[in-house]
Amino acid sequence: RKEVEQDPGPFNVPEGATVAFNCTYSNSASQSFFWYRQDCRKEPKLLMSVYSSGNEDGRFTAQLNRASQYISLLIRDSKLSDSATYLCAVNRGKLIFGQGTELSVKP
Amino acid sequence: GAVVSQHPSWVICKSGTSVKIECRSLDFQATTMFWYRQFPKQSLMLMATSNEGSKATYEQGVEKDKFLINHASLTLSTLTVTSAHPEDSSFYICSARPGGADYNEQFFGPGTRLTVL
């Protein structure tokens, strides 16, 4: 079993849709949590950190549930430019990434 | 913001040759650098962690004699893929962490795409 697992995707949604990504992690020693965005053939870029209290940045909301070892990312009012692969990552002294979920937003 | 460069951005080589990839932090000193490998449609897999002036720490299953890492200065780490084979073809990405920063401040290079013929 992988240490960090994500929905396999791909997710194909129309513009304006709300889409949710889920990620589970198996190591309870994980200290901090992140969502990254990766465009095709590019490096990952930090989208947002994830806190237990939940945090929001514009159309993006991230949530952490330590008890269930689960993090989520919600994108509201999706745009064409949101099309990318979304990677969750956990830090337990080093960053461990999930396999990523591909999102395709269609007109 | 902090910038990390990688060179070359892509390389094609023949089987059996060695390839060196450089990772530089351009506007900060990186006490720690990380090397990742990503195969198509797969996640970034951490290969090794390098700290300036000391030996790299390799992840389980990564051959240290095949993937040589040198972190000789606070702004430069190199990864050498020795005797490359077609199965080593992948996207290699480095990241750099400034001294004293938490993991929110890990900056990624643009990656190097290696194709071994």
Side-chain angles (χ1 to χ4, degrees), chain B residues 15-64:
Chain B
S15 187
T17 59
S18 294
V19 175
K20 181 186 283 189
I21 302 170
E22 293 185 349
C23 177
R24 292 182 186 273
S25 56
L26 298 185
D27 50 3
F28 66 96
Q29 293 187 326
T31 54
T32 305
M33 287 185 170
F34 304 89
W35 286 96
Y36 296 83
R37 180 168 55 178
Q38 186 177 35
F39 293 107
K41 300 292 186 183
Q42 294 188 27
S43 185
L44 279 79
M45 298 300 297
L46 180 64
M47 299 175 68
T49 302
S50 73
N51 291 294
E52 186 265 339
S54 62
K55 288 184 179 180
T57 302
Y58 289 81
E59 294 299 301
Q60 191 174 11
V62 178
E63 299 173 58
K64 63 180 181 180

Side-chain angles (χ1 to χ4, degrees), chain A residues 27-95:
Chain A
N27 194 319
S28 59
S30 300
Q31 301 157 355
S32 46
F33 309 86
F34 310 93
W35 283 102
Y36 282 81
R37 170 193 169 127
Q38 186 176 27
D39 292 288
C40 188
R41 304 175 81 87
K42 301 280 190 182
E43 77 275 24
K45 296 207 182 284
L46 181 64
L47 185 61
M48 55 199 307
S49 303
V50 189
Y51 304 113
S52 296
S53 54
N55 48 304
E56 187 173 311
D57 182 4
R59 298 181 293 109
F60 299 84
T61 301
Q63 196 80 41
L64 164 64
N65 184 321
R66 282 190 185 271
S68 302
Q69 296 184 188
Y70 167 99
I71 64 175
S72 65
L73 175 69
L74 187 75
I75 304 176
R76 290 179 299 278
D77 188 24
S78 53
K79 312 288 185 194
L80 297 177
S81 57
D82 293 333
S83 297
T85 296
Y86 291 83
L87 298 151
C88 65
V90 304
N91 166 31
R92 53 170 183 82
K94 54 191 174 184
L95 273 182

